[in-house]
């Protein structure tokens, strides 16, 4: 899950759900008010829920009724949560501390890739802006040398 520019959650990928598109759409709306995600966004700590049926902050998402255990790891850039890596399982108590360490390593690699892609996009936009400014400045130089072109 990634957080959009407005902070709204967007499920990017989901596997093994009856209808992934229905589950993804429902999750987008329901997770906006998730106390679990809100807490993770503020304290930047991962979450492991052994049995979601007894967790007070759990929000049931249509299509994900089979979920019994859950783990989420925040994805942080400059101490700001940009999303989280979420996993669930049909067996309660499934996730271990070893699973958490692997998920944290994966989440960190995902953050690096996402941040590199963002920086690359910014570099492309800056290069494009500089190319346009260079072209305009060349046209201004030509226009100054030929007064008739200045009027155009």
């Amino acid at each position: 899950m990634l957080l959009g520019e407005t902070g709204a959650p967007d499920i990017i990928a989901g596997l093994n759900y009856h209808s992934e598109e229905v589950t993804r759409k429902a999750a987008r709306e329901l997770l906006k008010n998730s106390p679990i995600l809100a807490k993770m966004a503020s304290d930047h700590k991962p979450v492991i829920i052994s049995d979601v049926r007894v967790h007070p902050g759990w929000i049931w998402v249509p299509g994900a009724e089979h979920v019994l255990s859950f783990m989420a790891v925040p994805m942080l850039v400059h101490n700001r949560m940009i999303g989280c890596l979420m996993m669930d399982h049909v067996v309660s108590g499934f996730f271990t501390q070893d699973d958490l360490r692997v998920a944290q390593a994966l989440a960190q690699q995902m953050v690096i890739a996402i941040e590199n892609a963002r920086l690359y996009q910014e570099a492309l936009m800056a290069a494009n802006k500089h190319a346009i400014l260079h072209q305009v400045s060349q046209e201004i130089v030509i226009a100054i040398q030929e007064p008739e072109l200045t009027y155009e």
Side-chain angles (χ1 to χ4, degrees):
M1 178 200 74
L2 293 177
L3 298 175
E5 301 218 358
T6 63
D10 191 10
I11 305 299
I12 303 302
L15 301 173
N16 298 327
Y17 294 101
H18 177 67
S19 172
E20 291 175 18
E21 188 57 32
V22 169
T23 302
R24 195 175 305 143
K25 284 181 182 177
R28 265 186 211 126
E29 290 304 311
L30 293 171
L31 293 179
K32 286 179 184 175
N33 301 316
S34 169
I36 296 167
L37 293 179
K39 184 175 184 324
M40 191 177 1
S42 67
D43 69 12
H44 300 156
K45 292 182 181 172
V47 173
I48 295 180
I49 302 173
S50 294
D51 190 340
V52 300
R53 296 171 293 187
V54 295
H55 192 279
W58 186 253
I59 296 175
W60 289 99
V61 175
E65 294 84 3
H66 62 282
V67 172
L68 293 182
S69 58
F70 174 81
M71 179 170 60
V73 176
M75 297 167 62
L76 304 171
V77 173
H78 305 296
N79 211 25
R80 180 180 60 86
M81 190 169 100
I82 63 164
C84 65
L85 177 59
M86 300 186 302
M87 290 143 284
D88 55 59
H89 203 274
V90 297
V91 174
S92 62
F94 181 80
F95 297 108
T96 66
Q97 289 300 310
D98 286 339
D99 295 325
L100 177 60
R101 282 189 285 281
V102 170
Q104 287 174 314
L106 285 171
Q108 186 57 39
Q109 293 301 310
M110 295 167 117
V111 165
I112 290 168
I114 290 168
E115 186 64 2
N116 283 345
R118 186 188 65 76
L119 292 171
Y120 179 72
Q121 277 301 108
E122 283 182 6
L124 285 178
M125 289 172 52
N128 189 39
K129 181 179 175 181
H130 288 299
I132 292 169
L133 289 173
H134 177 73
Q135 180 182 351
V136 169
S137 69
Q138 293 301 312
E139 290 175 10
I140 291 171
V141 167
I142 291 169
I144 289 172
Q145 291 173 354
E146 299 180 31
E148 287 301 316
L149 289 176
T150 303
Y151 295 116
E152 289 180 27

